[in-house]
Amino acid sequence: MTNNHEPHVPSDRPSASRKPSGAGPQITLRSPAELADALPYMLGFHPTDSLVMVAVHGEGGRFGGRLRVGIPVSPDEWEETAQQTADCLIRGSERRGGKPDGIVLFLCQEPGEDETGQRVMTRLRPFAQRVRLACGALEVPVLEAVCLSAGRLWSYVCPDARCCPAEGTRLAAVGTSVMAAAATFAGLQVRGSLKDIEGRLAPLTGPEADAMERALDEAAIALVPKILDGATREEVAAETLALARTLMRRITLAPPAQGRRGADDRDDGLLTHDEAAALILGLQDRETRDRAAEWMEGDEAAPALRLWRALARRAVGAYTEHAAAPLTLAGWVSWSTGDEPTARIALGMALEADADYRFAQLLHHACNEGIDPEGLRQCLREERRRREPRSRRRPAAGRPPGRRRRITSGRDSRRPAGSGQ
């Protein structure tokens, strides 16, 4: 699995994954079309506007680390992106046990207005060439480079028009290939497209966003001074967590909805703007956020994830940086419950909202390095066990105020519980 740390790529942060170990069907991929069909199962979602690189090891061509990064809009950024992604994948593979023997490269982008798939392929050819040169400079050849657009594929490597015609090769219908059948048998899931997953976490727009921003302004006037004051910060924390529990119960009891869009619309309707604003601002406190991170498993995980997604959508306008907290919590619950592809996307979006958000940085790195989340779960369970007996006692009178902290940026200033900082 490759390291996702890539601070200078402008479109988004690289995302990596590794095929889980264990028994399962082995599929031999013999053509660019078969490689393209396998791509969503390797990532866990259909990539859009993405450069995807897959490391290949050994004579049999075993797949290793995978890396995804958004395709920069400006060609001026292609050279830097190519060098950074090649270094990220190859150096990361070396740290984890072996330099790749080759790399398979995918460029995935749908046509823009008045553009064809073939035109996309031609436009991105210089970018593919830069990536190939960057990998070659690190002594790892690109074995295959494929462009996927408008339901067709083109190889940048194969010169034979008999197998790689100029008009491209039509991709198989989704779910109809041998790879799809094998993946279904192995229990692998494709969780929609990257755009779909990001859309569930993206901020609201239009009149609803305007109303939400006004609610955040009003809540900030009331809550921020109390959070900054050590004498009242614990009071705000208790109110924040109590409100979160109330909303989780409300979410749990809500009737089911059809489809992801319907489910998100229903969840949005279960939260008032004032409730969402109070939670978004309350979660800017590190200790409050860490206690919320304890809702990571069992019956608490599903309603918590729905709540964090809804809050991420409500962090709008001048408060988009505040989305780092609910996005990180959404990524953490997804990772804790086994959904690594969604976890990486959510954590990457948290770092887009606030590149210095320490908890997101730690989780993002750990998820991409294949670290078992159970270690952090154990820390959070133990912290909860230690605290809950004390939570039934009244706080001591005259407790000295805690340290003041700046919360308007939404950035961590202290170590998150159990994070290993």
Side-chain angles (χ1 to χ4, degrees), residues 236-256:
V236 175
E239 292 171 353
T240 300
L241 294 168
L243 176 58
R245 292 189 187 96
T246 297
L247 294 178
M248 287 169 60
R249 286 193 294 271
R250 190 184 301 169
I251 286 171
T252 301
L253 296 174

Side-chain angles (χ1 to χ4, degrees), residues 265-283:
D265 289 345
R266 174 206 52 204
D267 290 348
D268 287 336
L270 295 174
L271 280 69
T272 68
H273 290 327
D274 290 341
E275 289 170 334
L279 281 182
I280 289 169
L281 293 173
L283 289 172

Side-chain angles (χ1 to χ4, degrees), residues 169-384:
T169 302
R170 183 173 295 279
L171 297 172
V174 176
T176 62
S177 66
V178 173
M179 179 67 202
T184 300
F185 177 77
L188 300 178
Q189 298 182 41
V190 178
R191 296 167 176 83
S193 71
L194 172 63
K195 185 177 181 180
D196 292 337
I197 297 172
E198 290 179 334
R200 305 192 75 184
L201 300 165
L204 299 174
T205 58
E208 283 294 301
D210 295 337
M212 186 65 226
E213 188 169 11
R214 288 193 295 272
L216 284 162
D217 287 337
E218 294 171 2
I221 293 172
L223 287 178
V224 168
K226 296 175 69 175
I227 297 174
L228 292 174
D229 186 343
T232 55
R233 184 171 60 83
E234 289 190 3
E235 175 186 332
V236 175
E239 292 171 353
T240 300
L241 294 168
L243 176 58
R245 292 189 187 96
T246 297
L247 294 178
M248 287 169 60
R249 286 193 294 271
R250 190 184 301 169
I251 286 171
T252 301
L253 296 174
Q258 294 295 322
R260 293 182 178 181
R261 179 63 181 270
D264 291 343
D265 289 345
R266 174 206 52 204
D267 290 348
D268 287 336
L270 295 174
L271 280 69
T272 68
H273 290 327
D274 290 341
E275 289 170 334
L279 281 182
I280 289 169
L281 293 173
L283 289 172
Q284 303 310 306
D285 177 70
R286 181 196 67 84
E287 293 179 5
T288 304
R289 180 212 62 205
D290 288 351
R291 289 177 63 178
E294 295 169 1
W295 303 325
M296 60 192 171
E297 57 191 346
D299 294 339
E300 294 174 327
L305 178 58
R306 289 166 59 186
L307 178 58
W308 307 145
R309 281 198 302 249
L311 293 180
R313 295 191 290 267
R314 301 291 188 98
V316 298
Y319 297 87
T320 53
E321 194 175 55
H322 289 64
L327 285 168
T328 301
L329 289 170
W332 162 236
V333 176
S334 297
W335 184 31
S336 178
T337 55
D339 186 356
E340 290 188 13
T342 300
R344 283 189 289 272
I345 293 170
L347 293 169
M349 292 178 68
L351 293 172
E352 287 292 329
D354 184 349
D356 297 323
Y357 200 71
R358 185 62 173 158
F359 195 27
Q361 289 176 339
L362 292 169
L363 293 178
H364 201 225
H365 177 75
C367 183
N368 285 317
E369 290 294 316
I371 297 172
D372 190 340
E374 179 59 20
L376 179 53
R377 282 196 296 256
Q378 289 178 351
C379 291
L380 291 173
R381 291 188 201 111
E382 182 58 30
E383 180 63 25
R384 192 174 189 176

